[in-house]
Amino acid sequence: MRQVGLGRQFRKLASQLDGAFRADGVFAHDRLRFVDFVDDVEELLEEVAWQEWGNKEVVDGFEEYMLRHCSG
């Protein structure tokens, strides 16, 4: 995130991801539903997009894309 100029947003994203993955990198389905996780991350990305570019619509397709490609 630092490389694309969003380093100050990293702490918020890191706290959002905390507990969502096990130590081995596998998503922790027993702790959090994947749909809820994707929704929370999309909201965070919208906040970042609004703060950085004044347009939260740049991340509109994130949730749909993630659910289509990652939910099996």
Side-chain angles (χ1 to χ4, degrees):
M1 293 210 24
R2 228 174 269 117
Q3 291 176 340
V4 294
L6 300 175
R8 64 182 182 201
Q9 302 297 337
F10 181 73
R11 284 192 182 119
K12 279 178 123 177
L13 182 57
S15 67
Q16 187 75 29
L17 298 176
D18 189 36
F21 295 90
R22 294 191 177 100
D24 60 2
V26 175
F27 184 77
H29 290 279
D30 58 328
R31 296 182 206 154
L32 180 67
R33 291 180 350 148
F34 185 72
V35 173
D36 294 336
F37 171 74
V38 170
D39 188 48
D40 290 345
V41 171
E42 181 183 40
E43 287 178 23
L44 179 63
L45 290 174
E46 286 176 348
E47 284 180 39
V48 170
W50 180 255
Q51 290 172 6
E52 296 297 323
W53 300 290
N55 181 2
K56 67 180 187 175
E57 293 175 9
V58 296
V59 295
D60 271 350
F62 174 79
E63 184 173 12
E64 181 182 336
Y65 175 85
M66 290 302 294
L67 293 176
R68 192 174 338 118
H69 289 89
C70 298
S71 65

